[in-house]
Amino acid sequence: MRIRIRHISTYSYASPARSVMQVLRLTPRNHEGQHVINWRIEVDANCLLKRSEDAFGNIVHTFSANGPLMELTVSAEGEVETFDTSGFVRNTVERFPPGLYLRESPLAIADDALCDYAATISGDSPLEKMHNLLDTLHEKLEFDTDPTHLVTNASEAFAAKKAVAQDFAHIFIACARDQNVPARYVSGHILTTESGETRQSAHAWAEAYIRDYGWIGFDPAYGICPQETHVRVACALDYLGAAPVRGAQTGGSGEALDVRISVTDSQNQ
Amino acid sequence: MLARTAENLFWLARYVERADFTARIIDVTSRLAALPQSYRGAGGEWESALAAVGALNAFNASFSETTESNVVHFLAFDETNPSSIHNCLEQARTNARTIRTALTAEMWQAINSGWLELKSFEERRRTGEYSGIESILPFLEFVKSVSLDFDGAAYRTMLRNDAYWFNRVGLYVERADNTARLMDVKYNVLLPKSETVGGSLDYFQWTSILRAVSAQTAYHWVYRESVKPWLIADLLILRKEMPRSLIYCYDNLARFLDHLGKAYGMQATSQRHTRMVLRRLENATMEEIFQEGLHEFVTKFIDDNNRLGGIIAEQYLLI
Amino acid sequence: MSKTRFFDEMNGYGDEPRALYARVAEWLLRTPPEVLATRRAQAELMFRRVGITFAVYGGNDDTERLIPFDIIPRIVGHREWSKLEEGLIQRVTALNVFLSDIYGAREILKAGILPPDIIYKNPYFRPEMSGRRVPHDVWVHIAGIDLVRTGEGEFFVLEDNARTPSGVSYMLENREVMMRLMPDLFSSYRIAPVDNYADALLAALRSVTPATARGEPTVALLTPGQYNSAYYEHSFLADRLGIELVEGNDLFVKDEIVYMKTTEGPKRVDVLYRRVDDEWLDPLAFRPDSALGVPGLMNAYQAGNITITNAVGTGVSDDKAIYSYMPEIVRFYTGEEAKLSNVQTWRCREPDAYKYVREHLDELVVKEVNGSGGYGMLVGPHASRADIDEFARKLDYDPANYIAQPTLALSTCPAFIDDAVVPRHVDLRPFILTGSEGSRVVPGGLTRVAMREGSLVVNSSQGGGTKDTWVIEDTNLDSKGA
């Protein structure tokens, strides 16, 4: 499947910002399930866009733009060819052994309620357990698609019984790690049936490491394993390490952010 | 030097100067208010005290009655009043602590012991050992002594480099503002006509202005005649030998900003602006000032002086 | 309870002063308590005047107080010191190679010396540093290694501090005060000076300037600000080093270069001696809510345009769980046996050790792996039954989070408490500086003293005091002394 993605963030300020700095993780890499045909990042301010790689192997772009800035647009755009791998994630850039992904990370810590819940997940093998976790989580929590709802941490979202995709991923990760299964956070995009629809936030899911199988994707928000509809952009211990944008600014107030993401099937439209 | 260090030195001097000025205002106002009605004119001394330190609106927001004890409390101790003596000394000490290494030991000691003494005054007030206007006088004397100690320590112990110059610039910006505000509040009694209109009724108003800037004796040395309102205005605006006059402040501002400009190899807006204000003061005569209107003159000066604060921040402190 | 016989720094195990202490003993004999009390009061006044204070966590009212200072010096002979020095340098060298390895090839894990999860699950391990090299391969530029003595020539390492060790300002100020208060006693010994510490530190910091720096390197000290408990030390050191004391807001990053905001415009910073913990350093890389850090600092760091001292991620090496492997770590990287011994340590993560600890809680000191400042620990012999039971519950919940050690017979040193000279337990924290040219130790350190009788907790946050530490020449002692 050929998927075209446009991810455009527009910041506007009521009073001009003196300077803006951002760290972007907006660029997908190749692996067995996806091939990046073309990709472009643009910032509409005079600045140096530096490309580097973070410790997890994600492609990172960094810029600092000097103001005064009333508006700033960051866009990522390109085409990716995807293949169904039944959820297996192979030939990714791996900088750490799976054991690292048992670490606690601030947004994916299991509190008592989550530990209790994780203990109830049945299954004879870790793989079966993860599949059951995927299924029950999807049923147990309401998928909150309101893009204005912010990412919280696993415990809070679990208690609220309502979760955005990022929360779903955090809850899955927290439970998996609690059961001693290495798990990590993936940010990316998903092509849904409502084609032509514009989303206002990126998608997120989880990956778990199962001995003898390797990394396998789990998308608890949709209750499925990632398919050729999924484009994987960055992975880390939790949202903070894989966030599409982390930024800081000096001066400026009344910041408003408008995000538009369109994910389309570029062959059949 | 770090911009933040310069900013702290600048504000440190301003807070100390402001505490001193507020103490003087409380002092002269309480003297004036203690006079029989027939000696002090229209009344409203405490309102003018509040106006002189720019705190009238803030005061009215928290108090319904302008009584002596309310005003004194508000100006001296109230933690909700950002310009109260308490807050000025507290802020000064916080600023000083942040930049300990840019201060001399003597300066730190002056500020720190002033702050400790403030705490003990306040403790004694809480326990009821001090109350009423009588007991406030030793406190005001103490505040003035803090500024003398600090200023003296800075003058006697600091290296003459950018740290010293920023400190002095803060001092003179604040002092010019204070003197100008004092005149702005009292301008009506300083107009030439008021001598004939009010006669001796205003005499105590005039002397209280002089007292507020410690200039009763200075006045006589300079003019060698009885107190006349336009001469007070002359003293406070145009006399370079008077250390609280507007022209003296700007003479110093121009000098210290020049030092900075030379040290950093760049003259910019703050130097030009200061010279412009100084030139205007140097070319002015009292006749012209009264003709244009004392109030207008002073208001414009206050605006220009505020603008200088902003320009200095822009040029040196915010980058 | 039978009284344990502790080694005393002045009297050893006997009642006669050791040769090192002969003159101190003599001085104590001929000086009446009133004079000692006066000296102590004068010392306190001197500390107050310079403003050497320490903010205490949880203290609500007057949060600035003095750390108690004891006027009787602690003395180490030069011969003994030389041995310690060798051991300290060996240990710090191993720590530096260890960090390069852990964030690089991870040979030590491949060799099976350490269980990998002790690294990967360690909260102070920074994945962000993995695959990065730091300028000149120096990670721990300033180390403070806590030593305790249990007998003649018997020193043990109690703890390594490889993050942002503090206390060096006390080492310097204590010396200053002693020289002024007791010039006679002072001049009766030949005492190795410590006041070159600032120069040595500056030289070490300048030596690790990044390759991209131009001209004279600019060094700055990053502090969390005046409300930090060690703020006095930060401003003291900045002053002694003649470098700017900066807060996060004084710095900014533009195109991967770090600048400080000065009255003359932006000025590039090449070496940042930070006293801010890793997770607060850069809101774009670590805690997004940090207002103490500098956005983009980690990008500049990774681009090789600034040296951060100590490096980011050194906390993984001074963790108590790693500590127990230090003998193996030293052997692995230096090929030598560790010259400084560790205290015997049971890792509760290991079932046998856990079982032993569980059965001997009343004899052991049990510590949280990542705790510091004497918090979260159980001193078995001094704890009540209830304390022990409560601690046992915490231990059972997460054994891997604890290690245990025997209660050490920490040496004592005479201290002047109230109006008498009495023995009090002490430790010793020497400071080891490492630059591009290797490591050095300034002869001396911070002697911490537990002010309460029988107490073994020397931490200043728990009421511990300090002493001046004298490293003296034995040769001079032999000729001048007995």
Side-chain angles (χ1 to χ4, degrees):
Chain A
M1 188 177 260
R2 272 174 92 108
I3 297 179
R4 163 155 288 283
I5 295 162
R6 277 165 63 89
H7 181 159
I8 296 170
S9 313
T10 306
Y11 300 79
S12 46
Y13 306 95
S15 70
R18 260 209 306 277
S19 69
V20 174
M21 167 178 289
Q22 290 190 343
V23 175
L24 312 170
R25 286 180 178 83
L26 293 170
T27 308
R29 296 190 81 149
N30 297 338
H31 61 87
E32 201 180 278
Q34 73 187 31
H35 175 74
V36 181
I37 299 164
N38 57 62
W39 200 264
R40 211 171 69 225
I41 303 267
E42 264 173 32
V43 179
D44 76 338
N46 292 334
C47 62
L48 206 68
L49 191 63
K50 276 278 292 198
R51 181 185 155 120
S52 58
E53 194 187 293
D54 72 11
F56 293 92
N58 303 308
I59 293 170
V60 179
H61 288 87
T62 314
F63 70 88
S64 37
N66 275 4
L69 294 165
M70 292 303 288
E71 202 177 83
L72 177 73
T73 301
V74 178
S75 56
E77 193 171 352
E79 224 175 341
V80 180
E81 185 159 19
T82 60
F83 315 95
D84 189 9
T85 57
S86 320
F88 289 104
V89 188
R90 284 184 289 245
N91 291 333
T92 44
V93 176
E94 295 297 342
R95 300 283 184 240
F96 293 103
L100 176 90
Y101 298 94
L102 286 169
R103 251 176 106 72
E104 265 189 3
S105 54
L107 294 174
I109 296 176
D111 63 355
D112 290 351
L114 266 176
C115 289
D116 291 348
Y117 172 70
T120 66
I121 304 299
S122 59
D124 294 333
S125 67
L127 181 60
E128 203 182 319
K129 271 194 178 174
M130 290 302 107
H131 274 291
N132 286 337
L133 177 62
L134 178 72
D135 294 341
T136 56
L137 257 190
H138 179 63
E139 283 160 27
K140 196 173 171 69
L141 302 179
E142 185 191 334
F143 183 18
D144 179 353
T145 51
D146 185 337
T148 61
H149 288 175
L150 296 174
V151 181
T152 54
N153 66 45
S155 310
E156 280 170 30
F158 186 71
K161 296 195 175 357
K162 206 172 158 185
V164 296
Q166 289 77 4
D167 297 328
F168 265 107
H170 286 146
I171 294 170
F172 186 95
I173 294 165
C175 292
R177 288 182 192 158
D178 181 65
Q179 295 297 302
N180 215 25
V181 176
R184 66 190 178 195
Y185 178 99
V186 178
S187 81
H189 300 286
I190 182 169
L191 175 75
T192 51
T193 45
E194 303 91 14
S195 80
E197 162 215 44
T198 305
R199 298 166 148 272
Q200 287 169 52
S201 68
H203 191 47
W205 59 93
E207 285 172 2
Y209 184 83
I210 311 288
R211 194 188 299 248
D212 303 331
Y213 294 90
W215 287 102
I216 298 176
F218 294 90
D219 182 346
Y222 287 96
I224 54 172
C225 283
Q227 305 160 338
E228 53 178 349
T229 48
H230 286 64
V231 175
R232 189 180 186 275
V233 177
C235 83
L237 288 161
D238 64 18
Y239 168 78
L240 280 178
V245 178
R246 287 183 74 170
Q249 67 182 66
T250 56
S253 62
E255 182 194 89
L257 168 62
D258 178 49
V259 180
R260 285 167 197 279
I261 301 174
S262 76
V263 182
T264 51
D265 180 345
S266 56
Q267 270 166 329
N268 309 304
Q269 49 180 323
Chain B
M1 182 186 350
L2 274 186
R4 180 171 52 89
T5 306
E7 189 176 8
N8 275 303
L9 284 162
F10 176 84
W11 280 101
L12 172 56
R14 289 196 72 161
Y15 285 123
V16 172
E17 184 69 14
R18 190 175 296 176
D20 175 81
F21 180 66
T22 306
R24 288 166 184 281
I25 289 293
I26 298 175
D27 191 8
V28 298
T29 310
S30 64
R31 278 166 184 271
L32 203 54
L35 289 173
Q37 184 74 48
S38 56
Y39 287 88
R40 59 186 156 112
E45 290 78 19
W46 289 110
E47 279 87 351
S48 8
L50 287 164
V53 299
L56 195 53
N57 291 341
F59 177 84
N60 288 333
S62 28
F63 291 89
S64 52
E65 246 191 309
T66 316
T67 62
E68 180 171 289
S69 74
N70 281 352
V71 177
V72 168
H73 172 79
F74 185 73
L75 292 181
F77 303 108
D78 200 328
E79 290 179 34
T80 67
N81 169 14
S83 296
S84 68
I85 292 173
H86 168 96
N87 279 342
C88 284
L89 293 183
E90 179 95 35
Q91 274 299 328
R93 200 246 182 187
T94 307
N95 283 24
R97 193 161 186 263
T98 330
I99 49 161
R100 264 299 299 277
T101 54
L103 302 180
T104 61
E106 290 82 357
M107 290 168 80
W108 164 250
Q109 220 167 330
I111 283 295
N112 195 41
S113 53
W115 180 78
L116 291 170
E117 186 66 21
L118 169 76
K119 294 273 148 191
S120 93
F121 257 106
E122 290 180 330
E123 188 49 40
R124 275 177 279 163
R125 257 174 70 84
R126 258 192 296 279
T127 58
E129 196 179 320
Y130 275 96
S131 61
I133 196 71
E134 300 294 304
S135 68
I136 199 74
L137 294 176
F139 175 73
L140 300 176
E141 286 308 314
F142 147 74
V143 176
K144 288 188 235 169
S145 75
V146 172
S147 77
L148 286 175
D149 282 355
F150 178 72
D151 212 38
Y155 182 75
R156 294 179 70 116
T157 61
M158 272 184 104
L159 276 178
R160 266 35 177 185
N161 59 12
D162 45 359
Y164 181 71
W165 300 325
F166 275 112
N167 189 256
R168 294 289 108 172
V169 168
L171 168 77
Y172 288 111
V173 168
E174 181 67 26
R175 184 177 288 180
D177 184 63
N178 292 339
T179 302
R181 276 175 194 284
L182 180 65
M183 278 194 290
D184 197 31
V185 171
K186 299 283 186 183
Y187 81 94
N188 52 333
V189 300
L190 291 175
L191 297 179
K193 61 176 174 30
S194 66
E195 191 205 19
T196 48
V197 175
S200 63
L201 195 62
D202 284 336
Y203 175 80
F204 292 101
Q205 294 280 0
W206 303 332
T207 49
S208 76
I209 296 173
L210 288 174
R211 199 186 289 278
V213 294
S214 298
Q216 295 131 288
T217 317
Y219 178 93
H220 294 290
W221 278 108
V222 174
Y223 300 107
R224 304 197 176 277
E225 56 176 306
S226 62
V227 178
K228 301 224 169 56
W230 59 87
L231 291 180
I232 295 177
D234 181 58
L235 183 67
L236 293 190
I237 299 173
L238 297 183
R239 297 304 292 231
K240 277 198 177 170
E241 58 270 57
M242 168 63 199
R244 282 172 201 270
S245 71
L246 304 186
I247 199 167
Y248 179 86
C249 291
Y250 266 75
D251 206 30
N252 278 282
L253 283 170
R255 187 153 59 91
F256 291 121
L257 283 166
D258 268 351
H259 284 312
L260 281 171
K262 276 195 204 106
Y264 296 160
M266 188 156 84
Q267 305 277 332
T269 345
S270 70
Q271 283 83 7
R272 287 195 293 274
H273 182 83
T274 308
R275 270 184 235 130
M276 186 269 288
V277 176
L278 178 62
R279 234 181 353 257
R280 214 172 46 227
L281 290 165
E282 281 171 340
N283 295 338
T285 63
M286 277 327 287
E287 287 73 21
E288 283 165 12
I289 290 174
F290 281 121
Q291 237 156 40
E292 282 171 36
L294 178 61
H295 176 62
E296 288 70 16
F297 178 87
V298 170
T299 314
K300 180 162 171 26
F301 177 86
I302 292 175
D303 280 352
D304 280 337
N305 190 50
N306 280 342
R307 197 164 319 131
L308 176 61
I311 292 170
I312 291 169
E314 198 62 42
Q315 188 176 337
Y316 292 112
L317 311 180
L318 310 161
I319 65 156
Chain C
M1 199 172 109
S2 70
K3 201 165 150 59
T4 322
R5 194 93 171 116
F6 295 105
F7 181 85
D8 188 75
E9 297 288 336
M10 183 160 87
N11 297 321
Y13 288 111
D15 297 317
E16 282 300 303
R18 298 159 68 215
L20 292 170
Y21 269 90
R23 291 193 195 89
V24 169
E26 202 183 291
W27 168 72
L28 285 173
L29 267 181
R30 72 179 137 82
T31 313
E34 307 86 72
V35 176
L36 292 179
T38 310
R39 291 282 174 271
R40 181 174 57 198
Q42 286 168 329
E44 202 180 305
L45 196 69
M46 288 165 78
F47 283 119
R48 277 247 185 252
R49 195 169 298 146
V50 296
I52 185 161
T53 57
F54 181 86
V56 181
Y57 298 107
N60 32 16
D61 212 30
D62 198 1
T63 47
E64 290 164 34
R65 67 168 178 82
L66 290 179
I67 293 185
F69 170 71
D70 183 66
I71 54 170
I72 304 173
R74 190 264 182 85
I75 301 179
V76 182
H78 188 262
R79 273 193 291 263
E80 197 160 50
W81 177 260
S82 302
K83 276 201 227 147
L84 290 180
E85 191 177 17
E86 276 178 36
L88 291 166
I89 289 177
Q90 180 198 44
R91 196 161 173 112
V92 168
T93 306
L95 284 175
N96 274 305
V97 189
F98 171 65
L99 285 160
S100 288
D101 184 34
I102 280 302
Y103 290 113
R106 306 179 194 132
E107 299 292 351
I108 196 164
L109 300 183
K110 290 177 196 156
I113 309 282
L114 293 182
D117 69 325
I118 211 171
I119 300 296
Y120 291 134
K121 291 174 81 173
N122 190 304
Y124 297 106
F125 174 71
R126 300 285 164 211
E128 294 82 356
M129 290 305 291
S130 194
R132 314 285 177 203
R133 281 185 68 181
V134 295
H136 306 272
D137 292 318
V138 180
W139 294 74
V140 183
H141 309 81
I142 302 126
I145 293 187
D146 295 345
L147 303 172
V148 293
R149 179 209 281 277
T150 56
E152 186 76 60
E154 288 171 32
F155 277 91
F156 290 91
V157 176
L158 195 59
E159 195 173 299
D160 301 293
N161 294 281
R163 276 172 268 173
T164 53
S166 62
V168 82
S169 56
Y170 296 97
M171 169 177 96
L172 299 173
E173 290 284 28
N174 289 354
R175 176 61 54 85
E176 206 67 37
V177 165
M178 288 296 276
M179 284 175 79
R180 284 170 64 181
L181 282 185
M182 290 157 215
D184 292 348
L185 179 62
F186 203 89
S187 59
S188 69
Y189 283 104
R190 221 166 269 165
I191 302 163
V194 291
D195 48 10
N196 54 343
Y197 177 83
D199 286 336
L201 173 57
L202 188 61
L205 294 173
R206 290 168 65 112
S207 77
V208 291
T209 302
T212 62
R214 279 184 231 117
E216 280 286 288
T218 302
V219 185
L221 194 157
L222 178 67
T223 173
Q226 60 163 320
Y227 299 107
N228 183 269
S229 62
Y231 182 71
Y232 171 77
E233 178 157 302
H234 306 162
S235 69
F236 173 88
L237 284 175
D239 200 26
R240 286 293 172 95
L241 268 63
I243 61 178
E244 290 293 354
L245 178 66
V246 299
E247 295 178 16
N249 283 332
D250 297 324
L251 302 178
F252 70 96
V253 176
K254 169 82 181 154
D255 296 333
E256 301 183 327
I257 308 270
V258 181
Y259 298 94
M260 59 183 172
K261 303 173 189 173
T262 79
T263 49
E264 294 171 86
K267 181 165 191 206
R268 181 175 167 165
V269 178
D270 304 304
V271 180
L272 192 60
Y273 173 22
R274 52 80 178 237
R275 297 292 295 260
V276 170
D277 292 341
D278 287 354
E279 54 176 337
W280 302 98
L281 277 179
D282 178 353
L284 299 188
F286 303 114
R287 290 184 68 129
D289 57 341
S290 170
L292 304 176
V294 189
L297 180 60
M298 285 299 285
N299 292 93
Y301 190 35
Q302 283 157 9
N305 292 333
I306 189 156
T307 302
I308 296 178
T309 63
N310 287 350
V312 176
T314 53
V316 69
S317 70
D318 71 5
D319 165 289
K320 295 190 185 69
I322 299 289
Y323 163 87
S324 65
Y325 291 96
M326 275 311 283
E328 288 94 326
I329 290 173
V330 171
R331 197 179 305 125
F332 185 73
Y333 294 114
T334 66
E336 302 167 349
E337 287 305 308
K339 293 174 183 164
L340 282 171
S341 314
N342 258 24
V343 178
Q344 183 184 13
T345 303
W346 289 273
R347 308 169 189 125
C348 300
R349 68 197 332 268
E350 294 164 6
D352 290 349
Y354 170 58
K355 186 160 173 285
Y356 178 86
V357 171
R358 199 63 183 75
E359 284 161 7
H360 297 84
L361 278 179
D362 55 347
E363 298 164 20
L364 300 172
V365 178
V366 193
K367 298 174 181 173
E368 261 182 57
V369 169
N370 300 310
S372 72
Y375 291 102
M377 82 189 226
L378 176 81
V379 182
H382 290 208
S384 68
R385 195 66 245 168
D387 287 346
I388 291 181
D389 290 343
E390 198 198 317
F391 202 89
R393 274 194 295 278
K394 287 200 276 183
L395 175 63
D396 292 346
Y397 181 73
D398 187 8
N401 194 31
Y402 295 90
I403 55 144
Q405 292 170 339
T407 4
L408 289 179
L410 251 65
S411 65
T412 58
C413 184
F416 183 63
I417 308 277
D418 298 328
D419 52 7
V421 176
V422 287
R424 287 290 182 268
H425 293 291
V426 292
D427 79 350
L428 173 62
R429 174 182 289 182
F431 295 90
I432 303 92
L433 298 173
T434 305
S436 61
E437 309 278 302
S439 302
R440 62 178 289 189
V441 192
V442 173
L446 179 66
T447 291
R448 299 188 297 177
V449 43
M451 303 297 274
R452 268 179 301 130
E453 186 175 1
S455 169
L456 295 169
V457 182
V458 295
N459 303 74
S460 52
S461 53
Q462 306 222 9
T466 68
K467 280 171 172 291
D468 191 15
T469 309
W470 295 357
V471 174
I472 65 165
E473 285 181 24
D474 315 70
T475 45
N476 133 259
L477 191 82
D478 296 340
S479 60
K480 261 168 106 179

